[in-house]
Amino acid sequence: MFTLLTFFAGMIGAITVLQGGQLAEFYGGYSSAVITHAVGLLAAALLYTVRRKHLPVRQPVAPWMFLGGVIGAGTVVLNNMAYGGVGVTAIVGLGLLGQSITSLFVDQFGLLGAAKSPFFKEKLLGLAAVLAGALVMVFPLNGANIAAVLMALGTGLTIVTARTVNARLAERHGAVRSTVMNYITGLAASSAVLLLVGRGEPMMQNFHLSANWFMYLCGAFGVGLTIILNVTVSKVSAFALTLLQFTGQIFTGLLLDTLVKGSFSVQSAIGGLLVATGLGLNTWLDNHRKLAAAADEGH
């Protein structure tokens, strides 16, 4: 169940990359982050209103657990700013590299309250397939600039950190409350950044609505993504979560490219298959190791 949910989260993630990129092209990178969080907060507030009588009792939390939205705002800005310098597939591939590295550290050391899931050498083959798949999708980065590449890589760090922090808050306040807080803090952070460095963007100079209404739903789709991740992050290791989410994201991205742009990338498809192979291998190794450990305890 949690595996399927995580895969579905990846599908939603691919849609939000498209929506966020379109918003950034129309309004500017910083402005699009504000719009995304404003719409997301509205959607989260409506969900809270419907579910408030069924929410769990809140438990005490550490102040750092409220920072998930601030970190997530960084992800939106980095994604949107990288959109013009590299393609969507490259953003996904580079983001995967960043997420994979960050996830390994989170699992290995149990950072930010995550359960420890030590890396073992047998997983190197699966990891190699994942990295090979990412490289196939990303290179050659024709026309890309270094700043955009670094921004796309940086999303890996912010994505894993934000979802881990949000999960800790969700465990104590519930997924719906933590999602509302995520968008409150994210809106505050992105608004501050816009006022500081984004006042020259199109939205601030001449705001007008686009006929492309679908892109405005980026924040609403993001709410669904956040809630799913809040539920699954404590049930699946950070590394497996990264790979499952990516698999759903890349194949949905291929479908979107075909439908929206009328093009299909064989290179991206091959890369995605390599990633899926690495995912399947590492998932099997994890399950085999857990079963073996359980059998040893039974004796």
Side-chain angles (χ1 to χ4, degrees), residues 141-172:
L141 290 170
N142 295 326
N145 60 69
I146 298 300
V149 170
L150 292 176
M151 287 178 188
L153 278 170
T155 63
L157 173 62
T158 55
I159 287 170
V160 174
T161 305
R163 78 185 181 203
T164 305
V165 171
N166 284 333
R168 300 288 82 77
L169 182 62
E171 289 172 352
R172 292 161 177 79

PDB file of all heavy atoms in Angstrom, residues 141-172:
ATOM      1  N   LEU A 141      24.134  17.653 -21.290  1.00  0.00           N
ATOM      2  CA  LEU A 141      23.331  18.809 -20.904  1.00  0.00           C
ATOM      3  C   LEU A 141      23.530  19.928 -21.928  1.00  0.00           C
ATOM      4  O   LEU A 141      24.146  20.960 -21.655  1.00  0.00           O
ATOM      5  CB  LEU A 141      23.730  19.291 -19.499  1.00  0.00           C
ATOM      6  CG  LEU A 141      23.331  18.360 -18.354  1.00  0.00           C
ATOM      7  CD1 LEU A 141      23.977  18.817 -17.055  1.00  0.00           C
ATOM      8  CD2 LEU A 141      21.827  18.313 -18.189  1.00  0.00           C
ATOM      9  N   ASN A 142      23.018  19.717 -23.106  1.00  0.00           N
ATOM     10  CA  ASN A 142      23.217  20.701 -24.179  1.00  0.00           C
ATOM     11  C   ASN A 142      22.556  22.030 -23.828  1.00  0.00           C
ATOM     12  O   ASN A 142      21.361  22.083 -23.521  1.00  0.00           O
ATOM     13  CB  ASN A 142      22.614  20.170 -25.488  1.00  0.00           C
ATOM     14  CG  ASN A 142      23.333  18.926 -25.976  1.00  0.00           C
ATOM     15  OD1 ASN A 142      24.532  18.797 -25.791  1.00  0.00           O
ATOM     16  ND2 ASN A 142      22.597  18.018 -26.596  1.00  0.00           N
ATOM     17  N   GLY A 143      23.343  23.093 -23.869  1.00  0.00           N
ATOM     18  CA  GLY A 143      22.790  24.417 -23.615  1.00  0.00           C
ATOM     19  C   GLY A 143      22.536  24.724 -22.156  1.00  0.00           C
ATOM     20  O   GLY A 143      21.998  25.769 -21.827  1.00  0.00           O
ATOM     21  N   ALA A 144      22.878  23.816 -21.267  1.00  0.00           N
ATOM     22  CA  ALA A 144      22.617  24.040 -19.851  1.00  0.00           C
ATOM     23  C   ALA A 144      23.680  24.958 -19.259  1.00  0.00           C
ATOM     24  O   ALA A 144      24.817  24.982 -19.707  1.00  0.00           O
ATOM     25  CB  ALA A 144      22.609  22.712 -19.101  1.00  0.00           C
ATOM     26  N   ASN A 145      23.310  25.711 -18.240  1.00  0.00           N
ATOM     27  CA  ASN A 145      24.306  26.510 -17.541  1.00  0.00           C
ATOM     28  C   ASN A 145      24.564  25.902 -16.173  1.00  0.00           C
ATOM     29  O   ASN A 145      23.706  25.226 -15.593  1.00  0.00           O
ATOM     30  CB  ASN A 145      23.863  27.980 -17.440  1.00  0.00           C
ATOM     31  CG  ASN A 145      22.557  28.140 -16.677  1.00  0.00           C
ATOM     32  OD1 ASN A 145      22.496  27.936 -15.469  1.00  0.00           O
ATOM     33  ND2 ASN A 145      21.493  28.506 -17.389  1.00  0.00           N
ATOM     34  N   ILE A 146      25.753  26.161 -15.642  1.00  0.00           N
ATOM     35  CA  ILE A 146      26.182  25.541 -14.395  1.00  0.00           C
ATOM     36  C   ILE A 146      25.258  25.901 -13.241  1.00  0.00           C
ATOM     37  O   ILE A 146      24.941  25.065 -12.387  1.00  0.00           O
ATOM     38  CB  ILE A 146      27.631  25.950 -14.066  1.00  0.00           C
ATOM     39  CG1 ILE A 146      28.581  25.454 -15.164  1.00  0.00           C
ATOM     40  CG2 ILE A 146      28.053  25.393 -12.710  1.00  0.00           C
ATOM     41  CD1 ILE A 146      28.570  23.954 -15.340  1.00  0.00           C
ATOM     42  N   ALA A 147      24.812  27.163 -13.196  1.00  0.00           N
ATOM     43  CA  ALA A 147      23.937  27.597 -12.100  1.00  0.00           C
ATOM     44  C   ALA A 147      22.653  26.775 -12.061  1.00  0.00           C
ATOM     45  O   ALA A 147      22.197  26.348 -10.997  1.00  0.00           O
ATOM     46  CB  ALA A 147      23.612  29.080 -12.253  1.00  0.00           C
ATOM     47  N   ALA A 148      22.060  26.522 -13.243  1.00  0.00           N
ATOM     48  CA  ALA A 148      20.827  25.739 -13.309  1.00  0.00           C
ATOM     49  C   ALA A 148      21.067  24.303 -12.874  1.00  0.00           C
ATOM     50  O   ALA A 148      20.231  23.696 -12.188  1.00  0.00           O
ATOM     51  CB  ALA A 148      20.265  25.775 -14.728  1.00  0.00           C
ATOM     52  N   VAL A 149      22.215  23.746 -13.264  1.00  0.00           N
ATOM     53  CA  VAL A 149      22.561  22.375 -12.866  1.00  0.00           C
ATOM     54  C   VAL A 149      22.683  22.281 -11.345  1.00  0.00           C
ATOM     55  O   VAL A 149      22.163  21.352 -10.709  1.00  0.00           O
ATOM     56  CB  VAL A 149      23.878  21.934 -13.537  1.00  0.00           C
ATOM     57  CG1 VAL A 149      24.371  20.619 -12.939  1.00  0.00           C
ATOM     58  CG2 VAL A 149      23.676  21.780 -15.032  1.00  0.00           C
ATOM     59  N   LEU A 150      23.369  23.249 -10.736  1.00  0.00           N
ATOM     60  CA  LEU A 150      23.548  23.251  -9.280  1.00  0.00           C
ATOM     61  C   LEU A 150      22.206  23.440  -8.560  1.00  0.00           C
ATOM     62  O   LEU A 150      21.971  22.841  -7.516  1.00  0.00           O
ATOM     63  CB  LEU A 150      24.529  24.349  -8.870  1.00  0.00           C
ATOM     64  CG  LEU A 150      25.982  24.136  -9.320  1.00  0.00           C
ATOM     65  CD1 LEU A 150      26.839  25.343  -8.932  1.00  0.00           C
ATOM     66  CD2 LEU A 150      26.550  22.865  -8.707  1.00  0.00           C
ATOM     67  N   MET A 151      21.332  24.268  -9.120  1.00  0.00           N
ATOM     68  CA  MET A 151      20.002  24.463  -8.531  1.00  0.00           C
ATOM     69  C   MET A 151      19.210  23.162  -8.555  1.00  0.00           C
ATOM     70  O   MET A 151      18.557  22.795  -7.563  1.00  0.00           O
ATOM     71  CB  MET A 151      19.241  25.550  -9.291  1.00  0.00           C
ATOM     72  CG  MET A 151      19.727  26.949  -9.034  1.00  0.00           C
ATOM     73  SD  MET A 151      18.811  28.159 -10.027  1.00  0.00           S
ATOM     74  CE  MET A 151      19.749  29.654  -9.692  1.00  0.00           C
ATOM     75  N   ALA A 152      19.252  22.468  -9.694  1.00  0.00           N
ATOM     76  CA  ALA A 152      18.531  21.202  -9.810  1.00  0.00           C
ATOM     77  C   ALA A 152      19.079  20.170  -8.828  1.00  0.00           C
ATOM     78  O   ALA A 152      18.324  19.424  -8.192  1.00  0.00           O
ATOM     79  CB  ALA A 152      18.613  20.681 -11.239  1.00  0.00           C
ATOM     80  N   LEU A 153      20.403  20.109  -8.692  1.00  0.00           N
ATOM     81  CA  LEU A 153      21.001  19.207  -7.703  1.00  0.00           C
ATOM     82  C   LEU A 153      20.576  19.586  -6.294  1.00  0.00           C
ATOM     83  O   LEU A 153      20.308  18.726  -5.454  1.00  0.00           O
ATOM     84  CB  LEU A 153      22.530  19.260  -7.812  1.00  0.00           C
ATOM     85  CG  LEU A 153      23.196  18.419  -8.899  1.00  0.00           C
ATOM     86  CD1 LEU A 153      24.668  18.779  -9.005  1.00  0.00           C
ATOM     87  CD2 LEU A 153      23.028  16.932  -8.614  1.00  0.00           C
ATOM     88  N   GLY A 154      20.515  20.892  -6.022  1.00  0.00           N
ATOM     89  CA  GLY A 154      20.142  21.366  -4.691  1.00  0.00           C
ATOM     90  C   GLY A 154      18.742  20.979  -4.273  1.00  0.00           C
ATOM     91  O   GLY A 154      18.454  20.848  -3.075  1.00  0.00           O
ATOM     92  N   THR A 155      17.859  20.781  -5.266  1.00  0.00           N
ATOM     93  CA  THR A 155      16.497  20.375  -4.907  1.00  0.00           C
ATOM     94  C   THR A 155      16.489  19.019  -4.207  1.00  0.00           C
ATOM     95  O   THR A 155      15.595  18.739  -3.410  1.00  0.00           O
ATOM     96  CB  THR A 155      15.593  20.296  -6.153  1.00  0.00           C
ATOM     97  OG1 THR A 155      16.080  19.293  -7.054  1.00  0.00           O
ATOM     98  CG2 THR A 155      15.525  21.634  -6.866  1.00  0.00           C
ATOM     99  N   GLY A 156      17.484  18.184  -4.508  1.00  0.00           N
ATOM    100  CA  GLY A 156      17.554  16.879  -3.843  1.00  0.00           C
ATOM    101  C   GLY A 156      17.718  17.030  -2.345  1.00  0.00           C
ATOM    102  O   GLY A 156      17.056  16.343  -1.549  1.00  0.00           O
ATOM    103  N   LEU A 157      18.594  17.935  -1.936  1.00  0.00           N
ATOM    104  CA  LEU A 157      18.821  18.187  -0.514  1.00  0.00           C
ATOM    105  C   LEU A 157      17.579  18.760   0.151  1.00  0.00           C
ATOM    106  O   LEU A 157      17.158  18.303   1.220  1.00  0.00           O
ATOM    107  CB  LEU A 157      20.002  19.140  -0.339  1.00  0.00           C
ATOM    108  CG  LEU A 157      20.284  19.637   1.083  1.00  0.00           C
ATOM    109  CD1 LEU A 157      20.625  18.479   2.003  1.00  0.00           C
ATOM    110  CD2 LEU A 157      21.403  20.674   1.062  1.00  0.00           C
ATOM    111  N   THR A 158      16.960  19.760  -0.483  1.00  0.00           N
ATOM    112  CA  THR A 158      15.804  20.406   0.131  1.00  0.00           C
ATOM    113  C   THR A 158      14.584  19.486   0.169  1.00  0.00           C
ATOM    114  O   THR A 158      13.810  19.513   1.133  1.00  0.00           O
ATOM    115  CB  THR A 158      15.443  21.706  -0.612  1.00  0.00           C
ATOM    116  OG1 THR A 158      15.237  21.426  -2.012  1.00  0.00           O
ATOM    117  CG2 THR A 158      16.561  22.731  -0.476  1.00  0.00           C
ATOM    118  N   ILE A 159      14.398  18.661  -0.874  1.00  0.00           N
ATOM    119  CA  ILE A 159      13.243  17.755  -0.909  1.00  0.00           C
ATOM    120  C   ILE A 159      13.306  16.744   0.225  1.00  0.00           C
ATOM    121  O   ILE A 159      12.332  16.557   0.973  1.00  0.00           O
ATOM    122  CB  ILE A 159      13.164  17.027  -2.271  1.00  0.00           C
ATOM    123  CG1 ILE A 159      12.707  17.990  -3.360  1.00  0.00           C
ATOM    124  CG2 ILE A 159      12.209  15.830  -2.201  1.00  0.00           C
ATOM    125  CD1 ILE A 159      12.821  17.427  -4.760  1.00  0.00           C
ATOM    126  N   VAL A 160      14.450  16.080   0.367  1.00  0.00           N
ATOM    127  CA  VAL A 160      14.584  15.055   1.405  1.00  0.00           C
ATOM    128  C   VAL A 160      14.501  15.676   2.795  1.00  0.00           C
ATOM    129  O   VAL A 160      13.826  15.146   3.687  1.00  0.00           O
ATOM    130  CB  VAL A 160      15.918  14.294   1.241  1.00  0.00           C
ATOM    131  CG1 VAL A 160      16.127  13.319   2.408  1.00  0.00           C
ATOM    132  CG2 VAL A 160      15.925  13.526  -0.073  1.00  0.00           C
ATOM    133  N   THR A 161      15.153  16.821   2.991  1.00  0.00           N
ATOM    134  CA  THR A 161      15.135  17.476   4.296  1.00  0.00           C
ATOM    135  C   THR A 161      13.733  17.937   4.661  1.00  0.00           C
ATOM    136  O   THR A 161      13.259  17.709   5.784  1.00  0.00           O
ATOM    137  CB  THR A 161      16.098  18.680   4.310  1.00  0.00           C
ATOM    138  OG1 THR A 161      17.404  18.255   3.929  1.00  0.00           O
ATOM    139  CG2 THR A 161      16.159  19.305   5.697  1.00  0.00           C
ATOM    140  N   ALA A 162      13.044  18.572   3.706  1.00  0.00           N
ATOM    141  CA  ALA A 162      11.700  19.087   3.984  1.00  0.00           C
ATOM    142  C   ALA A 162      10.721  17.969   4.298  1.00  0.00           C
ATOM    143  O   ALA A 162       9.933  18.063   5.248  1.00  0.00           O
ATOM    144  CB  ALA A 162      11.197  19.904   2.790  1.00  0.00           C
ATOM    145  N   ARG A 163      10.743  16.897   3.526  1.00  0.00           N
ATOM    146  CA  ARG A 163       9.772  15.828   3.765  1.00  0.00           C
ATOM    147  C   ARG A 163      10.064  15.107   5.081  1.00  0.00           C
ATOM    148  O   ARG A 163       9.131  14.638   5.753  1.00  0.00           O
ATOM    149  CB  ARG A 163       9.747  14.854   2.586  1.00  0.00           C
ATOM    150  CG  ARG A 163      10.880  13.858   2.525  1.00  0.00           C
ATOM    151  CD  ARG A 163      10.822  13.041   1.257  1.00  0.00           C
ATOM    152  NE  ARG A 163      11.887  12.058   1.205  1.00  0.00           N
ATOM    153  CZ  ARG A 163      12.356  11.514   0.090  1.00  0.00           C
ATOM    154  NH1 ARG A 163      11.846  11.889  -1.082  1.00  0.00           N
ATOM    155  NH2 ARG A 163      13.315  10.618   0.115  1.00  0.00           N
ATOM    156  N   THR A 164      11.334  15.023   5.484  1.00  0.00           N
ATOM    157  CA  THR A 164      11.673  14.387   6.757  1.00  0.00           C
ATOM    158  C   THR A 164      11.214  15.257   7.929  1.00  0.00           C
ATOM    159  O   THR A 164      10.641  14.761   8.905  1.00  0.00           O
ATOM    160  CB  THR A 164      13.195  14.148   6.853  1.00  0.00           C
ATOM    161  OG1 THR A 164      13.624  13.390   5.716  1.00  0.00           O
ATOM    162  CG2 THR A 164      13.545  13.376   8.115  1.00  0.00           C
ATOM    163  N   VAL A 165      11.446  16.570   7.816  1.00  0.00           N
ATOM    164  CA  VAL A 165      11.001  17.493   8.862  1.00  0.00           C
ATOM    165  C   VAL A 165       9.477  17.504   8.944  1.00  0.00           C
ATOM    166  O   VAL A 165       8.892  17.459  10.041  1.00  0.00           O
ATOM    167  CB  VAL A 165      11.534  18.914   8.585  1.00  0.00           C
ATOM    168  CG1 VAL A 165      10.909  19.928   9.541  1.00  0.00           C
ATOM    169  CG2 VAL A 165      13.059  18.943   8.711  1.00  0.00           C
ATOM    170  N   ASN A 166       8.807  17.566   7.797  1.00  0.00           N
ATOM    171  CA  ASN A 166       7.339  17.561   7.777  1.00  0.00           C
ATOM    172  C   ASN A 166       6.773  16.284   8.396  1.00  0.00           C
ATOM    173  O   ASN A 166       5.734  16.312   9.074  1.00  0.00           O
ATOM    174  CB  ASN A 166       6.825  17.695   6.340  1.00  0.00           C
ATOM    175  CG  ASN A 166       6.942  19.112   5.811  1.00  0.00           C
ATOM    176  OD1 ASN A 166       6.925  20.064   6.572  1.00  0.00           O
ATOM    177  ND2 ASN A 166       7.078  19.249   4.507  1.00  0.00           N
ATOM    178  N   ALA A 167       7.451  15.162   8.150  1.00  0.00           N
ATOM    179  CA  ALA A 167       6.982  13.890   8.701  1.00  0.00           C
ATOM    180  C   ALA A 167       7.050  13.883  10.222  1.00  0.00           C
ATOM    181  O   ALA A 167       6.173  13.329  10.886  1.00  0.00           O
ATOM    182  CB  ALA A 167       7.804  12.744   8.137  1.00  0.00           C
ATOM    183  N   ARG A 168       8.102  14.498  10.781  1.00  0.00           N
ATOM    184  CA  ARG A 168       8.213  14.556  12.240  1.00  0.00           C
ATOM    185  C   ARG A 168       7.059  15.377  12.833  1.00  0.00           C
ATOM    186  O   ARG A 168       6.499  15.030  13.868  1.00  0.00           O
ATOM    187  CB  ARG A 168       9.548  15.176  12.646  1.00  0.00           C
ATOM    188  CG  ARG A 168      10.795  14.450  12.165  1.00  0.00           C
ATOM    189  CD  ARG A 168      11.041  13.123  12.894  1.00  0.00           C
ATOM    190  NE  ARG A 168      10.249  12.034  12.358  1.00  0.00           N
ATOM    191  CZ  ARG A 168      10.527  11.394  11.220  1.00  0.00           C
ATOM    192  NH1 ARG A 168      11.565  11.742  10.490  1.00  0.00           N
ATOM    193  NH2 ARG A 168       9.772  10.405  10.814  1.00  0.00           N
ATOM    194  N   LEU A 169       6.703  16.475  12.158  1.00  0.00           N
ATOM    195  CA  LEU A 169       5.582  17.286  12.620  1.00  0.00           C
ATOM    196  C   LEU A 169       4.270  16.530  12.458  1.00  0.00           C
ATOM    197  O   LEU A 169       3.396  16.583  13.336  1.00  0.00           O
ATOM    198  CB  LEU A 169       5.536  18.608  11.845  1.00  0.00           C
ATOM    199  CG  LEU A 169       4.435  19.597  12.259  1.00  0.00           C
ATOM    200  CD1 LEU A 169       4.615  20.027  13.703  1.00  0.00           C
ATOM    201  CD2 LEU A 169       4.444  20.818  11.334  1.00  0.00           C
ATOM    202  N   ALA A 170       4.126  15.803  11.348  1.00  0.00           N
ATOM    203  CA  ALA A 170       2.897  15.044  11.096  1.00  0.00           C
ATOM    204  C   ALA A 170       2.685  13.960  12.150  1.00  0.00           C
ATOM    205  O   ALA A 170       1.544  13.661  12.524  1.00  0.00           O
ATOM    206  CB  ALA A 170       2.951  14.422   9.703  1.00  0.00           C
ATOM    207  N   GLU A 171       3.765  13.361  12.627  1.00  0.00           N
ATOM    208  CA  GLU A 171       3.642  12.328  13.656  1.00  0.00           C
ATOM    209  C   GLU A 171       3.045  12.884  14.942  1.00  0.00           C
ATOM    210  O   GLU A 171       2.374  12.159  15.694  1.00  0.00           O
ATOM    211  CB  GLU A 171       5.022  11.737  13.956  1.00  0.00           C
ATOM    212  CG  GLU A 171       5.575  10.872  12.835  1.00  0.00           C
ATOM    213  CD  GLU A 171       7.017  10.456  13.071  1.00  0.00           C
ATOM    214  OE1 GLU A 171       7.647  10.962  14.030  1.00  0.00           O
ATOM    215  OE2 GLU A 171       7.528   9.637  12.291  1.00  0.00           O
ATOM    216  N   ARG A 172       3.241  14.165  15.202  1.00  0.00           N
ATOM    217  CA  ARG A 172       2.791  14.783  16.460  1.00  0.00           C
ATOM    218  C   ARG A 172       1.539  15.643  16.313  1.00  0.00           C
ATOM    219  O   ARG A 172       0.801  15.835  17.276  1.00  0.00           O
ATOM    220  CB  ARG A 172       3.941  15.618  17.040  1.00  0.00           C
ATOM    221  CG  ARG A 172       5.105  14.752  17.512  1.00  0.00           C
ATOM    222  CD  ARG A 172       6.402  15.553  17.647  1.00  0.00           C
ATOM    223  NE  ARG A 172       7.477  14.730  18.170  1.00  0.00           N
ATOM    224  CZ  ARG A 172       8.189  13.862  17.444  1.00  0.00           C
ATOM    225  NH1 ARG A 172       7.906  13.702  16.161  1.00  0.00           N
ATOM    226  NH2 ARG A 172       9.149  13.150  17.992  1.00  0.00           N
TER     227      ARG A 172
END
